[in-house]
């Protein structure tokens, strides 16, 4: 029987997840149907129920639904529990179980594909939504020295900092006062500003030192504004979120099927499509 899978989000037509999981399934010899379902915060619960009624038992969740997905799950994996956000759903023991593979996918991409050593780094995390919550715990577990969280709504940054439970190591900063924060080895954009009509606020070049790498969790056109700033500011590396997308999908695939697919062929195909 063909397994029913889906990715939920809004907007969702741009999603590469159906392609990625179809490629993984073909390589691993698994029969799988994977589709994209457009759902916003209001329609997501009903859309998930309809997916379940149609035989769906495993799914991914993207913007803006990761925190809503957490609330719909009766149990959570460690990474999801710590993040308060879910990007992977599994039907288990008569309920939805939530996992979060964003952080492990990001760390795997940065360290294995791009050769970054995260240990001892000072990291600036821009944004405090579901994407930021998904990657913050994994960055801390990877051995970074300090995580500074900045969000245009300061209370959201404070809430993320509180959720991490490491005062002194994880702190919040006012976006308007980023020029007072010194420099960072990694500047990570986890905002969704490029997906909407409002451009991201201008960042000061004082955030950059000779070792700074800029990382955007977005990819394609959505990553262009931040990475253009990073190039102009002199960041040593400019990395988009395509590799993270593939790696977090591989982690989800492993949770569902017990196999970890080879990610390089799929990453190479997607990178060629973006050129």
């Amino acid at each position: 029987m063909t397994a029913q899978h889906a990715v939920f989000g809004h907007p969702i037509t741009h999603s590469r997840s159906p392609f990625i999981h179809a490629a993984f399934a073909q390589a691993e010899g698994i029969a799988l149907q994977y589709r994209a379902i457009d759902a916003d915060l209001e329609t997501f619960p009903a859309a998930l129920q309809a997916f379940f009624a149609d035989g769906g038992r495993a799914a991914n969740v993207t913007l803006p639904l990761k925190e809503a997905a957490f609330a719909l799950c009766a149990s959570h994996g460690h990474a999801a529990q710590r993040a308060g956000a879910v990007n992977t759903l599994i039907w288990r023991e008569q309920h939805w179980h939530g996992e979060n593979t964003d952080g492990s996918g990001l760390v795997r991409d940065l360290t294995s594909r791009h050769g970054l050593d995260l240990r001892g780094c000072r990291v600036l995390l821009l944004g405090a939504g579901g994407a930021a919550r998904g990657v913050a715990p994994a960055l801390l577990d990877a051995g970074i020295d300090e995580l500074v969280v900045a969000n245009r709504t300061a209370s959201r940054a404070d809430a993320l900092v509180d959720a991490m439970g490491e005062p002194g190591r994880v702190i919040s900063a006012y976006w308007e006062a980023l020029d007072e924060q010194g420099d960072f080895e990694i500047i990570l954009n986890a905002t969704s500003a490029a997906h909407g009509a409002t451009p991201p606020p201008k960042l000061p070049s004082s955030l950059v030192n000779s070792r700074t790498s800029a990382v955007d969790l977005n990819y394609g056109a959505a990553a262009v504004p931040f990475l253009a700033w990073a190039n102009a500011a002199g960041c040593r590396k400019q990395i988009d979120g395509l590799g993270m997308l593939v790696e977090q999908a591989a982690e989800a695939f492993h949770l569902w099927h017990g196999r970890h697919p080879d990610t390089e062929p799929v990453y190479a195909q997607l990178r060629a499509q973006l050129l």
Side-chain angles (χ1 to χ4, degrees), residues 10-148:
H10 180 74
I12 201 62
T13 54
H14 69 285
S15 176
R16 298 294 205 282
S17 292
F19 171 84
I20 294 170
H21 283 279
F24 287 163
Q26 183 178 26
E28 295 294 331
I30 294 173
L32 179 149
Q33 183 180 26
Y34 190 110
R35 55 198 169 104
I37 300 175
D38 193 291
D40 58 21
L41 288 170
E42 182 177 345
T43 61
F44 177 46
L48 182 60
Q49 180 58 40
F51 169 70
F52 175 80
D54 196 35
R57 298 294 183 271
N60 290 126
V61 180
T62 187
L63 294 173
L65 305 175
K66 294 180 180 182
E67 291 169 273
F70 181 91
L72 291 174
C73 292
S75 64
H76 307 87
H78 176 72
Q81 184 67 51
R82 195 171 178 199
V86 160
N87 79 329
T88 301
L89 295 168
I90 310 164
W91 185 257
R92 179 183 295 174
E93 298 177 356
Q94 303 305 306
H95 68 262
W96 286 112
H97 173 79
E99 296 280 357
N100 197 307
T101 65
D102 281 339
S104 57
L106 174 66
V107 169
R108 184 179 178 90
D109 179 55
L110 295 182
T111 58
S112 298
R113 183 171 286 114
H114 296 286
L116 297 187
D117 185 352
L118 303 181
R119 294 170 297 179
C121 287
R122 190 166 187 252
V123 178
L124 174 62
L125 178 59
L126 304 173
R133 282 177 167 271
V135 301
L139 291 169
L140 295 169
D141 291 344
I144 67 169
D145 185 56
E146 183 181 42
L147 182 66
V148 178

Side-chain angles (χ1 to χ4, degrees), residues 230-249:
N231 183 62
C235 290
R236 181 170 63 100
K237 289 187 177 184
Q238 299 100 48
I239 301 168
D240 70 5
L242 189 67
M244 171 189 165
L245 175 71
V246 175
E247 297 301 333
Q248 64 81 22

Side-chain angles (χ1 to χ4, degrees), residues 179 182-184 187 202-209 212 229 232-235:
D179 58 351
D183 53 16
F184 297 83
I187 303 173
K202 187 175 180 180
L203 298 168
S205 59
S206 59
L207 299 173
V208 177
N209 63 40
T212 302
W229 168 83
C235 290

